[in-house]
Amino acid sequence: MLVDLLFATLIFIPLLGAVIAAVLNGRPKASVRVAFTVSSISSLLGVAITILVFWQGQMRWELPFASPFGSLSFTIDALAAFFLGTISVVTFAVSLYSFGYADHYEGKYPVGMLGAMFNIFYVSMVMVVSSSNAILFLIMWETMSLSSFFLVIFEHRHEGTVGSGLFYLIMTHIGTAAIGLGFLLTYAQSGSFDFSSFPGAAQGMSDLLRSALFLLWAVGFGAKAGIIPLHVWLPRAHPAAPSNVSALMSAVMVKTAIYMLIRCYFDFLGVQDPWWGMTILAIGCVSALLGVMYALIESDIKRMLAFSTVENIGIILIALGVAMVFESYGLNELAALAMIACLMHVLSHALFKSLLFMGAGSVLNATHTKNMEKLGGLAKRMPYTSAMFFVGALSAAAIPPLSGFISEWLIFQAMLQSFNIPETMVKILIPVALGTLAITGALAAAAFLKVFGITFLARPRSKDAQEAKEVPKSMLWGMGLMATLCVLVGVLSFTILPALDQVSSPLVGASIADSLVEGIEIVPTVGEFSQVSPPLIAIVLVTVMAAVLMLSQVYGGRGKIVKADTWDCGTPLTARTEYSGRGFSNPINRMFSWVYRPIRTFRARKHPSPYIRTEMRYTSTTEPVFEKYLYGPTEAAVRWVAKKVSVIQTGSIQTYLGYIFVVLVLLLVVLRF
Amino acid sequence: MVSTLSLDAINTLAAVILLADFMLVASSRMRSLTRIFALQSLAMGCLAAVVAFETGAEHIYVVAVLSVALKAVVIPRFIDYTTAKIQVNREVEPLIKIPGSLLICAAITILAYFVTEPIMELGTAITSNCLAISFATVLIGMFMMVSRKKAITEVIGLLIVENGVFLAAISTTYSMPMIVELGVFFDIFVGVIIMGIFAFRINRTFETIDSTVLRGLKD
Amino acid sequence: MLTSLVQTLLILALSPLFTGLIRRLKAYFQGRQGASVLQPYWDLAKLFRKDSVVSQDASWIMTATPYVCMTAVIAAALMVPLMTTSSLGFVGDLIVVVYLFGMMRFFMALAGLDAGSSFGGMGSSREMTVSAIVEPTILLSIFTMALISGTTDLSGISHNLASTGFDLVRPALFLALAAFFISTLAENARVPVDNPSTHLELTMIHEAMVLEHSGKHLALMEWSSMTKLLLYMVIMANIFLPWGIDTDLTALGLAAGAAAIILKLLVFSLAIALVESSMAKMRLFRLPNLLTVSFSLSLLAVISYYIL
């Protein structure tokens, strides 16, 4: 079958490309070309496979050799195909971008290895979403984590990078442990590692075991996705990595965790208890709100984007939680709506987050800093980059009719349907979640406004920013592709939604494709509850804008546009008179100080008169709440246990041989019985 | 059987009572505290009157009139008089800031509903759905006593608790026996007068009625 | 379709009148003579004739923003029913309208940052802070109305409520209306959130953001803000209290609808002028108190819908 052939090619080409790129490490330009051409081609193959699976149906491919863990097979059904498509589209754009971006590292770091690891990373993600055997999955999961670890520590001479990478490695292994434990428990019930045997096994499980699995997988996949409080690695690892890698990690790697959450809950376990959905909803609300709050006060562009990823994962989990709640009450059609909203946001976020990270990388390349307090005025010096970053910011802030808005609209509509739930307490708590989502949206708009405004607008705040130049063409192509998709996926969303329904209907047991889209309108439920038509909104906006432009030309045409200085109240205009990022977020910082707990210090140089100040020093930092109250004590506890256990490490070889002897004797005795 | 007008009236008055709870927590001035409390007691009295009209129990009319007279007119006036005499700073000083208090009160309301849901489903009285609001009122009154610094605001919190208990009684059993009702009223009345005298005296001795300052008396 | 266009043009044409009316009422309450009710029209005409001065530090955002804001309010006006319930409801519902206003706010705030002056940046940061608490309030009020009337489509809500008399009225409706009224004051730069007639940097939010615009750009910004205020009032009138609106496009119905909306708008103008004249503008960091009150009102509205 064509699909099988394509898939086999898809796996082997990047591996081959990785090897060649590693071998060509000595010749940076050649290895960059090879590596990213290979990844572009394979991501296009990935897109082709996605389209074929949606068109023709599920695909299954088994590795030709047997293993002690059952046949190692790959299955791509609609759900896997959707995630494969998302991963591939983003990887294609990032590959285009990387042609220009990797040149930046020439001579400083081994670029060949970057290209090689990039390909391995992509292939491991593909295999993660297509594995249908638990052991194969774990191997691929681990490969994904390791390859991303090596990519994160790529700039290893940079301060703090290796530490962030190691922290990431530890957190992802804690997650993998939880996931693996869950799979082992399921294997104990089903006798096979193949995913297709898991749903049947789940039928026979006790409620306690099912709940345990729910929690294990929530923790395990949540650590990878970056839910609060397991998110601490995200703002350290994503900024430390090279920007094209950050784009991939933030936009698609965290989505593989979401993919597995959907598969584990809807496919394997089957959602029956409302408290599962409410738990995921609660986790989502907390992650969304705290993520965006921390994003708002950041001055480092990439750290801000990393926190925004935490926020968007929270939003995706809110939608997933609502879907689970509906499903557990048997409201399958509403669950389908919520699931479609969740998947739509997965796609939207992948598109705009990769675009934003690529933009941040361009800014970093051009100005050598990612601190927005030292930037500014880039809109005139880097017009294309700023325009595309602007599209990404608009989509993140949910401005109609872009894709970010459509997915948020769908999530709101799904939550509005909560009045159909029979249980009143749940009915009251979902509007509270709706309020949380609303405040998250408003704060996200503020955060992206700050990032775009301080970085790109007004005057440059440093010499680096003043001398910035536009980036190479390949980077612009990559960003341009994502920007175009942000707009198109929003305006043409009515074509994508039926495909999403194909993904959700086997999971929730109901298909709403027929009623969901009417012509060019999206009608979420029967009974005319609401409707929206994204292309009409776009048409209305464009038409009205043209009309306004024309009419104001007619009426105000004689007025010229004169360029002059900004009104400066008599003081000279410098970088210090502009608003700073920290100042922009200050009112919110003060209003929500119970979240941020700022630690403020103020020192002034002494002078005989208290009215004359010659030097003042003010610092304000937010308290690292999670590090201090959760990770710190945990780490201390682990050290304490380790210290106690280290007693057995006496250093004398006799003791170690003695241990072996004792254990051997015990084993023999036990086996006798 | 029961006219929808009465049901609507009861629902609206119950909403007013719940709204008054929130306004009490949100207000930052002493004068508005007593005024909103007067409004809440008036709504309480009207609700009792509607219940009396529907059930034909005439002693509830007496209770309603007493409630309005005492809690909506006499007690607020007395508290205003005491506040003016003491000449305290007329700002309510909360220990927990107002936005946080409001969110906590919203959570209390949801909790009250959660707790009373099974009882309300069994209830047959026309005012069954007021039970959740009465619980919320009691809890919000207690919250006010905990989170405000001045002694007078704590007394108002106690009065709100009494309002909530009254509403609970009305909504489940069509009011308590008359003698109990009168006893409670008298109790409250005397209690408030004694509070007023004490507040006056404390202020004269220590120049403040701020309870965080008075805590220093312990040493 | 045609009715939507006519209603939109009417809204655009009447918005300076209502701003002028509110100013006149405020003047009356403050014991002044006040300018004529038609003064905003003369102001706009004067501004259109003048040159625009654009800062040389500003980018294309500065010149694009007035047009974008105007576009956003006109697009929103197309979906809001004024005298009759037929409008372009199939394009978008109330959530789309709220997000169109969000688009307007986004661009205005960006333009505030663009010129590189401290006033603009301050206005932008305060505007985003206020909107952070006001948006959930508005969305929860919409949720309440959707629960009460069974749809989020604006004309649908008006139609369902108006044609069923007082059957659907619950206490939740009034709580939601109160929350929405406070949000109107916050979003449209009215006292006690912001002073619309001040030009002191310490007290401005909205005025600070438009400080750098001039000429026809300023005219467009002012007009779009006036239209936004009128749209909020129309939404309050026709979504929360829609009785009187025409539902069947007859001549008599349209006349009744016109009379009803004019009456309701006059009442709301009076209410806004009263509130503005009787309160002082609040300190920025006292605003969360007021805004959290409106948020808890809207949360109460939803809760009371379910428990009462």
Side-chain angles (χ1 to χ4, degrees):
Chain A
M1 278 204 10
L2 181 62
V3 180
D4 291 347
L5 186 62
L6 282 178
F7 188 70
T9 325
L10 175 56
I11 294 188
F12 289 118
I13 287 190
L15 290 173
L16 191 62
V19 169
I20 297 182
V23 162
L24 284 177
N25 198 10
R27 281 195 279 182
K29 277 212 170 21
S31 76
V32 162
R33 297 252 161 72
V34 165
F36 294 113
T37 314
V38 165
S39 68
S40 316
I41 295 178
S42 38
S43 44
L44 282 175
L45 280 177
V47 174
I49 294 180
T50 308
I51 298 178
L52 278 174
V53 169
F54 269 109
W55 194 24
Q56 288 178 348
Q58 194 169 317
M59 169 218 113
R60 189 180 164 98
W61 188 66
E62 292 196 17
L63 281 178
F65 46 88
S67 81
F69 307 111
S71 71
L72 301 175
S73 55
F74 298 100
T75 309
I76 304 186
D77 57 0
L79 179 66
F82 171 72
F83 278 89
L84 176 63
T86 311
I87 294 174
S88 303
V89 164
V90 173
T91 308
F92 181 65
V94 174
S95 305
L96 285 181
Y97 175 83
S98 306
F99 279 111
Y101 185 74
D103 283 340
H104 171 69
Y105 287 116
E106 230 174 286
K108 300 187 225 163
Y109 289 104
V111 202
M113 295 310 288
L114 178 68
M117 275 295 147
F118 190 88
N119 279 297
I120 297 181
F121 186 37
Y122 172 62
V123 120
S124 60
M125 279 199 285
V126 166
M127 292 203 270
V128 158
V129 299
S130 48
S131 300
S132 54
N133 178 297
I135 297 298
L136 182 62
F137 173 82
L138 284 173
I139 297 175
M140 289 305 130
W141 186 260
E142 186 63 21
T143 315
M144 187 176 79
S145 309
L146 278 178
S147 53
S148 53
F149 165 70
F150 285 118
L151 285 169
V152 165
I153 60 169
F154 184 68
E155 295 182 43
H156 51 89
R157 286 190 284 275
H158 205 80
E159 189 192 323
T161 306
V162 178
S164 312
L166 284 174
F167 192 64
Y168 163 54
L169 197 62
I170 296 174
M171 287 306 294
T172 190
H173 278 116
I174 293 177
T176 312
I179 298 169
L181 185 56
F183 282 147
L184 280 176
L185 285 172
T186 322
Y187 166 69
Q189 194 78 16
S190 78
S192 151
F193 280 112
D194 203 285
F195 279 172
S196 51
S197 68
F198 281 11
Q203 305 281 42
M205 285 182 196
S206 67
D207 275 343
L208 186 63
L209 185 55
R210 284 165 56 93
S211 306
L213 285 174
F214 166 74
L215 288 171
L216 274 174
W217 281 330
V219 167
F221 291 114
K224 183 61 115 189
I227 60 174
I228 303 244
L230 303 167
H231 69 286
V232 182
W233 61 273
L234 227 156
R236 292 188 198 189
H238 286 204
S243 304
N244 51 352
V245 173
S246 312
L248 271 190
M249 283 175 78
S250 255
V252 293
M253 191 181 75
V254 296
K255 304 295 169 27
T256 58
I258 301 288
Y259 160 74
M260 276 313 285
L261 275 177
I262 297 179
R263 191 168 290 289
C264 287
Y265 292 153
F266 280 91
D267 199 9
F268 299 163
L269 291 177
V271 181
Q272 284 158 17
D273 303 308
W275 70 268
W276 288 13
M278 295 304 280
T279 312
I280 297 284
L281 187 61
I283 294 178
C285 284
V286 172
S287 303
L289 197 51
L290 284 180
V292 78
M293 281 206 205
Y294 284 120
L296 195 46
I297 57 165
E298 281 294 332
S299 297
D300 178 333
I301 302 180
K302 287 174 79 169
R303 249 178 95 92
M304 179 262 167
L305 291 174
F307 273 116
S308 162
T309 301
V310 172
E311 173 221 336
N312 279 287
I313 290 288
I315 297 180
I316 293 172
L317 285 178
I318 289 179
L320 186 62
V322 171
M324 286 169 77
V325 170
F326 280 139
E327 178 81 4
S328 53
Y329 283 109
L331 297 161
N332 295 356
E333 265 139 27
L334 297 178
L337 176 62
M339 176 68 85
I340 290 179
C342 171
L343 294 171
M344 188 73 191
H345 200 76
V346 165
L347 180 60
S348 307
H349 176 241
L351 292 176
F352 69 70
K353 193 42 67 71
S354 54
L355 174 58
L356 288 169
F357 262 109
M358 287 196 273
S362 305
V363 167
L364 184 55
N365 258 16
T367 61
H368 309 288
T369 175
K370 42 186 169 71
N371 183 359
M372 64 174 92
E373 310 281 9
K374 294 212 166 45
L375 294 170
L378 295 178
K380 293 200 179 150
R381 293 163 176 79
M382 302 171 70
Y384 294 106
T385 306
S386 72
M388 292 188 277
F389 194 93
F390 186 56
V391 171
L394 282 178
S395 188
I399 304 288
L402 293 153
S403 56
F405 167 70
I406 300 293
S407 53
E408 261 197 48
W409 189 87
L410 281 170
I411 300 179
F412 276 124
Q413 289 297 333
M415 290 172 101
L416 285 176
Q417 294 296 322
S418 62
F419 63 87
N420 289 306
I421 297 177
E423 171 90 24
T424 322
M425 270 318 285
V426 173
K427 270 199 290 200
I428 292 186
L429 289 174
I430 290 192
V432 174
L434 194 145
T436 315
L437 184 58
I439 190 172
T440 305
L443 287 173
F448 282 100
L449 198 138
K450 172 184 163 184
V451 162
F452 181 72
I454 303 289
T455 312
F456 288 96
L457 298 180
R459 290 183 294 282
R461 293 180 180 78
S462 73
K463 198 144 167 303
D464 277 328
Q466 216 167 345
E467 294 170 355
K469 289 211 214 334
E470 190 57 272
V471 291
K473 279 237 172 48
S474 84
M475 294 164 82
L476 292 176
W477 277 109
M479 288 197 278
L481 177 63
M482 282 288 113
T484 322
L485 279 178
C486 274
V487 176
L488 282 180
V489 166
V491 173
L492 298 175
S493 47
F494 59 93
T495 50
I496 300 178
L497 290 179
L500 292 181
D501 180 72
Q502 215 178 333
V503 174
S504 69
S505 50
L507 298 170
V508 300
S511 166
I512 56 173
D514 311 319
S515 60
L516 188 60
V517 174
E518 271 177 29
I520 52 172
E521 294 169 21
I522 304 175
V523 183
T525 46
V526 291
E528 289 189 30
F529 192 81
S530 58
Q531 51 202 26
V532 77
S533 172
L536 280 183
I537 295 180
I539 293 176
V540 163
L541 286 174
V542 169
T543 321
V544 172
M545 173 87 95
V548 170
L549 275 167
M550 243 177 20
L551 286 173
S552 58
Q553 236 1 66
V554 166
Y555 280 111
R558 274 186 293 129
K560 302 193 298 288
I561 298 189
V562 177
K563 293 245 181 230
D565 282 341
T566 310
W567 184 58
D568 54 13
C569 231
T571 56
L573 289 171
T574 62
R576 294 289 294 154
T577 58
E578 310 180 72
Y579 229 60
S580 70
R582 204 48 204 251
F584 188 88
S585 53
N586 193 36
I588 297 185
N589 200 349
R590 284 183 66 170
M591 263 207 251
F592 292 106
S593 59
W594 49 274
V595 171
Y596 295 117
R597 299 168 191 271
I599 305 168
R600 296 202 168 104
T601 64
F602 177 74
R603 285 197 321 265
R605 192 182 291 184
K606 295 237 175 289
H607 193 274
S609 160
Y611 298 110
I612 302 177
R613 301 272 195 200
T614 49
E615 182 185 293
M616 296 191 277
R617 196 170 286 266
Y618 169 80
T619 59
S620 166
T621 47
T622 52
E623 192 185 41
V625 176
F626 292 101
E627 278 95 328
K628 196 166 149 188
Y629 294 111
L630 183 60
Y631 288 80
T634 315
E635 191 192 340
V638 168
R639 269 193 227 253
W640 182 86
V641 169
K643 247 177 96 171
K644 293 281 182 258
V645 171
S646 72
V647 167
I648 65 171
Q649 284 181 306
T650 59
S652 117
I653 197 164
Q654 272 83 4
T655 335
Y656 297 150
L657 286 172
Y659 290 151
I660 298 176
F661 180 65
V662 167
V663 170
L664 194 55
V665 168
L666 275 173
L667 264 177
L668 288 170
V669 170
V670 165
L671 281 172
R672 167 69 178 82
F673 292 111
Chain B
M1 192 194 65
V2 178
S3 70
T4 49
L5 185 62
S6 303
L7 267 178
D8 279 342
I10 289 180
N11 281 344
T12 315
L13 286 168
V16 169
I17 292 175
L18 188 60
L19 188 62
D21 282 331
F22 275 73
M23 292 296 112
L24 279 164
V25 172
S27 64
S28 49
R29 288 186 290 189
M30 302 286 282
R31 285 307 287 284
S32 54
L33 269 187
T34 46
R35 291 214 179 113
I36 299 174
F37 173 69
L39 176 69
Q40 189 181 50
S41 310
L42 187 62
M44 205 75 82
C46 293
L47 201 137
V50 173
V51 169
F53 175 68
E54 274 303 319
T55 59
E58 272 153 15
H59 68 279
I60 303 185
Y61 276 124
V62 178
V63 168
V65 168
L66 252 185
S67 155
V68 169
L70 204 58
K71 292 195 288 187
V73 176
V74 175
I75 291 186
R77 285 259 177 93
F78 181 70
I79 294 183
D80 279 341
Y81 167 73
T82 313
T83 317
K85 266 262 169 152
I86 296 182
Q87 286 171 339
V88 288
N89 176 10
R90 288 199 220 101
E91 231 185 78
V92 171
E93 285 152 31
L95 273 172
I96 305 176
K97 289 204 174 37
I98 290 184
S101 309
L102 279 171
L103 291 173
I104 293 178
C105 287
I108 287 178
T109 313
I110 297 180
L111 179 73
Y113 184 70
F114 180 56
V115 165
T116 56
E117 198 184 345
I119 308 175
M120 293 209 297
E121 281 173 19
L122 295 173
T124 49
I126 54 171
T127 50
S128 317
N129 50 9
C130 297
L131 189 59
I133 297 190
S134 67
F135 263 74
T137 310
V138 168
L139 288 171
I140 292 180
M142 280 198 227
F143 174 71
M144 259 199 84
M145 293 209 297
V146 165
S147 67
R148 301 280 181 267
K149 285 192 208 163
K150 289 214 181 70
I152 294 188
T153 50
E154 297 183 357
V155 173
I156 298 208
L158 182 66
L159 289 169
I160 298 173
V161 171
E162 203 277 332
N163 260 353
V165 169
F166 179 67
L167 183 61
I170 293 257
S171 64
T172 46
T173 64
Y174 295 149
S175 121
M176 310 177 265
M178 191 63 170
I179 191 99
V180 176
E181 212 49 62
L182 283 175
V184 172
F185 274 132
F186 190 59
D187 229 358
I188 292 286
F189 184 59
V190 171
V192 173
I193 295 202
I194 293 181
M195 176 285 301
I197 298 175
F198 261 112
F200 188 57
R201 289 255 163 204
I202 291 175
N203 190 56
R204 260 240 300 247
T205 319
F206 300 105
E207 308 264 315
T208 175
I209 52 167
D210 187 333
S211 54
T212 50
V213 176
L214 290 174
R215 212 193 292 154
L217 283 171
K218 185 181 66 160
D219 302 326
Chain C
M1 174 75 192
L2 185 61
T3 50
S4 292
L5 227 54
V6 169
Q7 287 184 128
T8 308
L9 289 173
L10 271 177
I11 290 179
L12 267 182
L14 287 177
S15 59
L17 178 64
F18 280 94
T19 304
L21 177 65
I22 293 180
R23 286 187 197 160
R24 187 73 193 246
L25 285 171
K26 273 166 72 172
Y28 171 69
F29 288 128
Q30 292 164 11
R32 294 185 278 123
Q33 180 78 358
S36 145
V37 181
L38 299 176
Q39 183 63 33
Y41 289 105
W42 313 142
D43 289 337
L44 285 178
K46 170 189 78 172
L47 283 171
F48 263 113
R49 284 198 300 270
K50 294 196 173 227
D51 294 343
S52 309
V53 177
V54 172
S55 160
Q56 53 200 13
D57 292 325
S59 65
W60 58 272
I61 300 245
M62 190 75 153
T63 38
T65 297
Y67 301 105
V68 173
C69 289
M70 203 62 197
T71 308
V73 283
I74 295 180
L78 279 170
M79 299 178 218
V80 173
L82 181 67
M83 298 178 303
T84 165
T85 55
S86 75
S87 68
L88 286 178
F90 53 87
V91 177
D93 63 349
L94 199 40
I95 301 183
V96 174
V97 169
V98 170
Y99 273 86
L100 279 173
F101 288 139
M103 177 162 99
M104 179 182 163
R105 186 191 317 125
F106 196 80
F107 274 88
M108 268 211 296
L110 272 181
L113 279 173
D114 202 9
S117 74
S118 318
F119 308 120
M122 197 174 64
S124 305
S125 101
R126 289 176 171 189
E127 173 75 21
M128 299 315 283
T129 310
V130 167
S131 78
I133 317 185
V134 168
E135 264 211 36
T137 310
I138 295 183
L139 281 165
L140 278 177
S141 305
I142 294 175
F143 187 20
T144 315
M145 293 317 293
L147 283 176
I148 293 180
S149 64
T151 170
T152 53
D153 176 31
L154 287 126
S155 13
I157 300 180
S158 304
H159 190 267
N160 290 356
L161 275 177
S163 49
T164 56
F166 290 108
D167 287 344
L168 292 171
V169 173
R170 317 274 294 257
L173 194 147
F174 296 104
L175 287 170
L177 177 60
F180 197 85
F181 183 74
I182 301 182
S183 309
T184 305
L185 294 176
E187 286 275 302
N188 291 294
R190 300 276 129 197
V191 178
V193 176
D194 178 21
N195 193 339
S197 55
T198 182
H199 289 279
L200 263 177
E201 55 267 21
L202 292 176
T203 61
M204 332 193 249
I205 300 181
H206 175 262
E207 291 295 318
M209 289 194 289
V210 301
L211 195 66
E212 286 294 322
H213 295 274
S214 50
K216 67 172 185 276
H217 295 162
L218 182 59
L220 287 172
M221 296 289 274
E222 289 288 323
W223 201 0
S224 55
S225 305
M226 294 188 219
T227 314
K228 181 174 166 188
L229 174 61
L230 185 59
L231 277 175
Y232 267 85
M233 289 205 287
V234 168
I235 292 178
M236 272 200 289
N238 284 341
I239 306 296
F240 292 91
L241 308 165
W243 299 280
I245 198 171
D246 166 63
T247 48
D248 46 13
L249 279 184
T250 58
L252 185 60
L254 279 172
I261 187 70
I262 299 225
L263 181 63
K264 287 185 251 185
L265 285 176
L266 284 175
V267 168
F268 279 120
S269 307
L270 186 62
I272 292 180
L274 264 174
V275 168
E276 286 208 82
S277 308
S278 56
M279 294 181 79
K281 183 182 120 56
M282 292 172 92
R283 258 184 64 197
L284 180 70
F285 291 113
R286 289 234 187 248
L287 278 179
N289 291 2
L290 176 67
L291 296 175
T292 316
V293 168
S294 76
F295 177 70
S296 29
L297 277 177
S298 62
L299 195 56
L300 257 188
V302 173
I303 297 177
S304 68
Y305 175 82
Y306 283 126
I307 66 178
L308 276 178

